[in-house]
Every structure is written in C-alpha cells, then in structure tokens.
Amino acid sequence: NAGVTQTPKFQVLKTGQSMTLQCAQDMNHEYMSWYRQDPGMGLRLIHYSVGAGITDQGEVPNGYNVSRSTTEDFPLRLLSAAPSQTSVYFCASSRFAEGYEQYFGPGTRLTVT
Amino acid sequence: GENVEQHPSTLSVQEGDSAVIKCTYSDSASNYFPWYKQELGKRPQLIIDIRSNVGEKKDQRIAVTLNKTAKHFSLHITETQPEDSAVYFCAATDTGRRALTFGSGTRLQVQP
C-alpha cells in the first residue's frame, strides 16, 4: 500500500492564481481531512469528509474548496491564492472517523508570492 | 468548537532524563486524545493515544495520562534519547465538528 499520497511536493504560486492540491489514499478509509501547518500554530483543519459525497468545513475553510467524488481522492482547491495561504498542507485519512488514528500524507509546501 | 492548549512550546532535556508535555481541552464531550510526533521535514505520526474511559496508557518509554475532571492530559517520555528530538502535538476530538483539534506543538530537544 502506498498509504496517503500528495502531489505536488512543492509549489510556488503568484497572488490570484488558482491550483489544486491532490490527495489520494489506497486504504479504503472513509474519513479524510486537510490541514495547514504554520510555525507555532500547530495543525489547523481546513475541510474534512466523512465519506464519498460528503464534505464539511473545518476551522479555517475560507479560500479553499474540496470535493469527494470517490473514497480514494480528496483534492483541495485554492480559488485565488493569497500570501496568507503560504503554508505546508497535509492531507490525512482515517479508517472510520476523527476518533481513530489519522494517517498523514508527506505534505505540500506552498509559497504564494 | 474545541480548544486545545499545549505547554511548553519548547523543552530541552539531557539524554536519560524524563520529559513531560501537558495539554488542556475545552470540549467536555471529547473522548479521544492522540499524540503525534513530527520529525523535521516529515509528516506527523501517531505515537500513542488514549480514550476517555481510560486514565493511563503506557507503551514502553511513553505514557499518557488523562484527567477528565480537570480536562487535561499529559505525555510522559522516560529515559529520553536523541532520537526523541522532534515536535510533539496533542489533539482532542471536537464532537461538534467531527474532527480533531490539535495543540500548537512542543519542540523537544534531547541533548546527548
């Protein structure tokens, strides 16, 4: 099993550009989530999904969209990139829900100039 | 929503000493409290977790204690080694949102 994979590993965007961060898992996990990690602020939840076709907002959802058309994939879309979105983004999955081990992907380091 | 506070933000110990990291949470219905370790440039990985029906759990040199009345839980690492150097995050379930809320992290440095 590859586990949780994310692409790209690094990305530089200009302000106003849009892009999609890809996340996939091959463990048949129902629960998937996106976090951003900023220095001194831990991991903050952006969006999450409890199953295919179901998504919900986390703590910091503004400026981001998600969709969950399959169990395996959970892409995160930045609508119009801003310098405040410079961060490291982690995707995670869990077999059932938030009350179980979260398996994190390797992360995407995004810089917005 | 859930609020998790973690202390200290940095911790330096000598090899062989013990390290303790403390977290408090606000959601009295929280029932799952994991701890993650993140090495530099790597992804967070679960090292130990505890559920609300248990007061203490131990795994070799690592232990977690939970006080539900006071709404705090702690990570204890004994006989620290240089490879324990990393950032440690606590987390608690946000029952209103069906999500995990993480603390801000503790950077542990073990001096050889």
Side-chain angles (χ1 to χ4, degrees), chain B residues 16-60:
Chain B
D17 287 350
S18 295
V20 180
I21 303 170
K22 299 182 179 181
C23 289
T24 61
Y25 62 98
S26 61
D27 183 352
S28 56
S30 287
N31 55 13
Y32 177 67
F33 307 91
W35 287 87
Y36 285 81
K37 176 184 180 182
Q38 185 179 30
E39 296 176 352
L40 191 62
K42 300 288 182 65
R43 70 191 81 186
Q45 291 191 299
L46 180 75
I47 55 171
I48 195 167
D49 56 12
I50 192 168
R51 298 198 180 273
S52 57
N53 58 345
V54 176
E56 184 174 357
K57 184 176 178 180
K58 192 172 180 181
D59 183 3
Q60 299 183 350

Side-chain angles (χ1 to χ4, degrees), chain B:
Chain B
E2 173 77 279
N3 183 44
V4 177
E5 296 195 357
Q6 183 171 346
H7 299 281
S9 56
T10 60
L11 180 58
S12 182
V13 300
Q14 292 294 125
E15 183 177 358
D17 287 350
S18 295
V20 180
I21 303 170
K22 299 182 179 181
C23 289
T24 61
Y25 62 98
S26 61
D27 183 352
S28 56
S30 287
N31 55 13
Y32 177 67
F33 307 91
W35 287 87
Y36 285 81
K37 176 184 180 182
Q38 185 179 30
E39 296 176 352
L40 191 62
K42 300 288 182 65
R43 70 191 81 186
Q45 291 191 299
L46 180 75
I47 55 171
I48 195 167
D49 56 12
I50 192 168
R51 298 198 180 273
S52 57
N53 58 345
V54 176
E56 184 174 357
K57 184 176 178 180
K58 192 172 180 181
D59 183 3
Q60 299 183 350
R61 297 185 297 108
I62 295 172
V64 57
T65 59
L66 171 64
N67 184 326
K68 284 208 70 182
T69 303
K71 290 192 282 189
H72 69 69
F73 56 114
S74 301
L75 178 71
H76 304 253
I77 306 174
T78 59
E79 301 171 22
T80 53
Q81 301 166 3
E83 52 264 38
D84 293 329
S85 297
V87 178
Y88 292 81
F89 293 98
C90 64
T93 46
D94 179 344
T95 56
R97 186 178 276 149
R98 294 210 57 194
L100 275 181
T101 297
F102 283 82
S104 54
T106 296
R107 183 173 299 278
L108 173 64
Q109 189 161 9
V110 180
Q111 308 284 357

Side-chain angles (χ1 to χ4, degrees), chain A residues 4 9 19 22-23 32 34-35 37-41 44-45 58 62 71 75 77 80 83 85-86 95 105 107:
Chain A
V4 181
K9 283 187 169 48
M19 80 159 294
Q22 301 292 343
C23 173
M32 296 186 74
W34 276 101
Y35 294 89
Q37 183 173 33
D38 302 296
M41 301 188 72
R44 292 185 293 167
L45 182 67
N62 292 344
T71 299
R77 183 164 179 81
S80 177
Q85 293 179 305
T86 293
R95 186 173 180 194

Side-chain angles (χ1 to χ4, degrees), chain A residues 2-112:
Chain A
V4 181
T5 58
Q6 290 182 240
T7 55
K9 283 187 169 48
F10 302 94
Q11 182 70 48
V12 179
L13 289 178
K14 293 187 188 307
T15 296
Q17 287 184 317
S18 64
M19 80 159 294
T20 299
L21 306 186
Q22 301 292 343
C23 173
Q25 52 89 11
D26 61 358
M27 298 176 282
N28 201 31
H29 285 176
E30 292 294 323
Y31 187 90
M32 296 186 74
S33 53
W34 276 101
Y35 294 89
R36 59 176 290 173
Q37 183 173 33
D38 302 296
M41 301 188 72
L43 294 151
R44 292 185 293 167
L45 182 67
I46 305 171
H47 285 286
Y48 66 97
S49 168
V50 299
I54 306 169
T55 64
D56 211 340
Q57 296 182 348
E59 182 186 353
V60 288
N62 292 344
Y64 307 94
N65 272 356
V66 291
S67 59
R68 183 96 181 270
S69 55
T70 67
T71 299
E72 294 78 21
D73 301 296
F74 191 43
L76 177 72
R77 183 164 179 81
L78 279 69
L79 309 173
S80 177
S84 60
Q85 293 179 305
T86 293
S87 188
V88 179
Y89 291 85
F90 286 100
C91 177
S93 75
S94 171
R95 186 173 180 194
F96 296 120
E98 71 281 9
Y100 295 85
E101 180 175 0
Q102 304 290 314
Y103 292 83
F104 284 84
T108 294
R109 185 174 293 275
L110 175 68
T111 302
V112 183

